[in-house]
Amino acid sequence: EHLAGSLRLVAAAVRGDGAEDAMWRNVVASADDPVGSLHAAAEELSAAASAEGLEGASCLMPEGLVPVAYALDVAALEAAVHAWDIGCAVGVPVELDDEASHRLAVTAEVRRHLGADAGFQPPLQPAVDATPFEALLASTGREPVGRSAHPSLWAGIDGWR
């Protein structure tokens, strides 16, 4: 529910509708069909991100008026971190490429600086030999020690920008 709601909220912000503060606290996804709800939210975000005229545009997020590119990276950050959470829960390894991991690490740091990282735990120190994705996970309070990678799960991430 949380991830689907987050994706829908970013889609609404990118479209420029429904960005009132209360909306950000009261999003509920379908508990009857969480996979369908997540898929629909991803489609909604993809449609919003594909709209004409977004290059250089801004939108209203909880942290204030931000570039649309940043808002889309927030959605990608949420998706990457929660995909890892779900993967751990069901035994499916999840990995993100180094370039995307570095970009989303910057997004996570900006969110912390702006005080908008309420969905994540305090950052942990990554292992000395951590991959960029493991370092990103540590920055959101996760301990990715001993997890394996599966890069094919993230083939579509660039379509969100």
Side-chain angles (χ1 to χ4, degrees):
E1 289 183 26
H2 167 75
L3 180 54
S6 294
L7 298 181
R8 284 194 171 100
L9 292 173
V10 172
V14 168
R15 286 191 310 265
D17 52 70
E20 297 83 25
D21 188 50
M23 180 185 160
W24 296 95
R25 292 189 304 266
N26 297 315
V27 170
V28 177
S30 169
D32 294 333
D33 182 13
V35 173
S37 182
L38 184 57
H39 180 75
E43 290 292 324
E44 184 179 338
L45 179 62
S46 180
S50 299
E52 295 285 325
L54 293 181
E55 189 171 331
S58 296
C59 64
L60 186 60
M61 293 277 286
E63 51 265 58
L65 194 61
V66 299
V68 165
Y70 166 82
L72 295 174
D73 280 350
V74 167
L77 173 64
E78 289 278 338
V81 171
H82 293 307
W84 183 85
D85 292 338
I86 293 166
C88 288
V90 299
V92 176
V94 175
E95 184 61 68
L96 187 65
D97 70 53
D98 291 355
E99 181 181 345
S101 294
H102 288 298
R103 180 178 178 125
L104 297 183
V106 170
T107 302
E109 181 61 31
V110 169
R111 292 197 84 210
R112 267 192 302 285
H113 178 73
L114 296 174
D117 62 342
F120 297 127
Q121 298 297 317
L124 302 173
Q125 184 66 37
V128 174
D129 62 344
T131 67
F133 187 50
E134 291 169 341
L136 171 64
L137 292 167
S139 79
T140 66
R142 274 109 176 126
E143 297 184 54
V145 178
R147 307 288 188 219
S148 58
H150 194 287
S152 66
L153 295 175
W154 288 100
I157 198 167
D158 286 338
W160 288 3
R161 292 195 182 121

